[in-house]
Amino acid sequence: MQPAELIDEELLDCWSVTEKSFSMFTEHRNLTWTLRLLLLSGVFCKEWNVKYQDSVCAVKGSAVVIPCSFDYPEKEKVKDVMWGHEKYNIFEGPFIWTGMSNDSSRFQYIGNKLHNCSLIIKQVEHNDTGKYAFRFITKSKNGKWTGAEGSILKIVDLQTVVTNTDRHGAIKEGDSVNVTCRKSCDGGNISSAFIWIKNGKSIYEGPSLYWRDISPANSGNYTCSLKAHSETTSGVVNINVEYGPKNTSGSVRPSTEVDDGSNFILTCSSSANPPVENYTWFKVDDDKDIKIVGDKSELHFREVSVAAGGRYLCSATNRHGSQNSTIVTLKVKAHFPYIFILATAAAALLIVAAVIAVTRFNKKRAEKPEADHVEDQQETPSNTLYLNWPRSENSNEGNQCEEQNIECVYTTIDFNTKRKSNMRRQMDSHNNDEGVIYSMVQFPLKH
């Protein structure tokens, strides 16, 4: 350190010597004599001194301490201390801190009035960069001293460095990726006093994040921060993991079964980063023949025929690859005309009516007398003659013949192919005699 400057004309005798030496230097007098006086002033003034750390580096948002110490003659007592910045006059002020400063200020004196003159600056900003100087005043008449050389403060940002060990450019799923937090204050050396934050949430403590096999789940916004000052953060680095199409699927709306003449929509969906660039729909025939039916994620079909039915699948593609969906089967049902439907319904009604009629007819037949029922069940082949021989001795039909002492035999010939019931024949005999021949044969009665 060079000797400090005496800034008051009446401070001590050494100030007079220094003043004379600078005056002589200014007037360009003998250089040898000037140097002698300067050395002499250093001897006289060696008890007045302020020592700094040449430079101090801090990360933006953190708190930084500027170390400082000072000396003065034993007979002196320090009355006031203050700190100045080069953007103001470091000898006359205004000062960034004085003994009257508010403790809530970002600048806080952590020294004393003996020999420690250190200053702390909280939440440093880039405009805090520059030279800081310490000044103290003793109780002696006009005793003032300033360490003119000061200490240089440098403000830097935390930096995150992303390294893709597998490739250059975009990060792809499966790559090995390293993200390191650095601060230029230590020459770019890695410091372990960091914490890592992903999307606003603390996830790790240490200088680096490393993924041997990175996945899409690792995508996000990352920052690093000083462990001792969590409000001090680096800039945001975005980790964007790219990947080929995944979870590709095809679907049919409104249903996988539709009528011919109706409409349906084929929709293909897939997850990919970057997004899917191309969609392609295929139809797979039974003979394994594959035909392209469209190159959009959504295909609209209108008034389709039965031939539109079949098996479909879609393919999704981006720059990292492609993926096929599973097969979706569409059934198109034939559409019958309304006339056919009405005819079918009418035929069904006729069948029902016939069944009801037959049922009622059978019911009426079941209600006839037993004899007629048995006789009605007898059938003969066509063109067969029926003869009735009412010769029963107990018959009352022979009363007339008995009066004449003869035996009567009555024969009825029916030319119908089917026999009628007794009741029906009697009714027919009264109403119509056509088709019937009556004959009477007389036999003498035996005595």
Side-chain angles (χ1 to χ4, degrees):
M1 301 291 291
Q2 296 180 0
E5 250 185 290
L6 285 171
I7 63 171
D8 219 314
E9 295 180 358
E10 300 178 358
L11 180 62
L12 292 171
D13 291 340
C14 67
W15 164 246
S16 300
V17 176
T18 303
E19 181 183 21
K20 292 177 181 179
S21 65
F22 276 98
S23 176
M24 293 174 65
F25 182 78
T26 304
E27 295 174 2
H28 303 285
R29 295 187 179 184
N30 188 281
L31 181 60
T32 301
W33 176 244
T34 302
L35 292 175
R36 287 178 180 178
L37 290 177
L38 287 174
L39 292 174
L40 181 61
S41 67
V43 172
F44 286 132
C45 303
K46 65 179 180 180
E47 294 179 343
W48 296 85
N49 194 16
V50 178
K51 297 179 180 180
Y52 302 101
Q53 181 174 316
D54 289 343
S55 63
V56 178
C57 184
V59 178
K60 178 186 176 182
S62 65
V64 61
V65 174
I66 300 178
C68 172
S69 63
F70 65 105
D71 295 312
Y72 50 89
E74 294 182 358
K75 64 180 181 178
E76 296 291 338
K77 291 185 178 181
V78 177
K79 180 175 64 172
D80 293 314
V81 293
M82 55 206 70
W83 275 90
H85 191 273
E86 66 178 354
K87 60 186 175 182
Y88 307 112
N89 189 311
I90 62 174
F91 300 109
E92 298 179 359
F95 298 98
I96 61 172
W97 187 89
T98 65
M100 300 300 293
S101 297
N102 192 332
D103 290 339
S104 63
S105 170
R106 290 192 305 115
F107 301 92
Q108 184 177 352
Y109 186 70
I110 58 174
N112 51 42
K113 292 182 179 181
L114 296 176
H115 299 285
N116 184 3
C117 53
S118 298
L119 177 73
I120 185 171
I121 306 175
K122 301 176 181 178
Q123 297 178 351
V124 293
E125 302 171 355
H126 284 291
N127 59 9
D128 293 326
T129 300
K131 183 176 74 174
Y132 290 79
F134 175 69
R135 177 179 175 84
F136 66 97
I137 300 174
T138 63
K139 292 182 178 181
S140 62
K141 185 179 180 180
N142 297 324
K144 301 176 183 179
W145 188 272
T146 297
E149 291 185 357
S151 183
I152 305 299
L153 176 62
K154 180 182 179 182
I155 307 299
V156 299
D157 292 314
L158 287 177
Q159 297 177 342
T160 51
V161 180
V162 181
T163 305
N164 185 347
T165 58
D166 290 337
R167 62 174 63 215
H168 298 288
I171 299 174
K172 184 181 177 182
E173 182 179 15
D175 287 351
S176 296
V177 179
N178 186 67
V179 184
T180 303
C181 192
R182 299 177 183 272
K183 59 179 182 178
S184 57
C185 286
D186 50 17
N189 295 328
I190 298 175
S191 172
S192 59
F194 296 111
I195 56 176
W196 286 93
I197 301 158
K198 177 185 178 182
N199 299 332
K201 182 179 180 181
S202 178
I203 60 170
Y204 180 73
E205 180 178 325
S208 300
L209 293 174
Y210 178 70
W211 296 281
R212 186 182 302 276
D213 184 9
I214 199 166
S215 72
N218 299 126
S219 296
N221 295 322
Y222 291 82
T223 58
C224 63
S225 174
L226 293 176
K227 183 179 179 180
H229 304 281
S230 58
E231 68 278 5
T232 303
T233 60
S234 67
V236 176
V237 58
N238 178 258
I239 301 297
N240 182 31
V241 182
E242 297 186 353
Y243 55 93
K246 293 183 177 183
N247 304 319
T248 304
S249 64
S251 62
V252 183
R253 299 197 316 268
S255 172
T256 55
E257 293 188 6
V258 297
D259 294 329
D260 64 333
S262 61
N263 306 330
F264 70 90
I265 301 173
L266 292 176
T267 302
C268 188
S269 62
S270 183
S271 172
N273 184 26
V276 173
E277 299 170 359
N278 296 303
Y279 286 98
T280 306
W281 273 100
F282 301 91
K283 185 177 181 182
V284 183
D285 292 336
D286 293 337
D287 56 358
K288 306 301 182 182
D289 185 24
I290 300 178
K291 297 183 294 185
I292 298 176
V293 295
D295 58 358
K296 296 181 179 180
S297 63
E298 189 169 277
L299 298 181
H300 293 254
F301 294 82
R302 302 184 183 281
E303 299 181 357
V304 297
S305 65
V306 176
R311 297 182 298 166
Y312 294 84
L313 65 85
C314 68
S315 176
T317 304
N318 72 354
R319 67 188 182 193
H320 295 301
S322 62
Q323 186 184 51
N324 293 338
S325 69
T326 57
I327 290 178
V328 56
T329 301
L330 174 68
K331 296 181 180 180
V332 180
K333 298 179 293 184
H335 181 68
F336 297 101
Y338 288 108
I339 296 177
F340 179 80
I341 295 176
L342 293 175
T344 303
L349 290 175
L350 289 176
I351 293 173
V352 172
V355 171
I356 294 175
V358 171
T359 302
R360 290 181 176 178
F361 177 76
N362 290 336
K363 184 176 180 181
K364 289 181 178 180
R365 292 186 62 186
E367 294 175 353
K368 293 180 179 180
E370 185 66 20
D372 292 342
H373 178 69
V374 173
E375 188 175 354
D376 288 341
Q377 290 180 344
Q378 297 178 357
E379 295 183 359
T380 59
S382 60
N383 301 323
T384 302
L385 301 178
Y386 295 89
L387 301 178
N388 293 329
W389 301 91
R391 298 187 60 184
S392 173
E393 295 179 357
N394 298 325
S395 175
N396 294 325
E397 294 179 359
N399 293 335
Q400 296 178 0
C401 294
E402 289 180 356
E403 295 177 356
Q404 301 177 14
N405 295 323
I406 60 175
E407 181 180 5
C408 297
V409 177
Y410 296 93
T411 301
T412 301
I413 302 175
D414 190 349
F415 290 96
N416 292 326
T417 57
K418 294 184 180 180
R419 299 190 63 186
K420 301 180 180 179
S421 65
N422 291 337
M423 182 68 68
R424 181 69 176 273
R425 286 199 304 270
Q426 293 176 4
M427 293 176 62
D428 291 343
S429 64
H430 292 289
N431 297 327
N432 188 5
D433 290 338
E434 294 181 3
V436 179
I437 298 176
Y438 294 92
S439 297
M440 184 177 66
V441 182
Q442 297 181 357
F443 294 95
L445 292 174
K446 294 181 182 182
H447 297 281

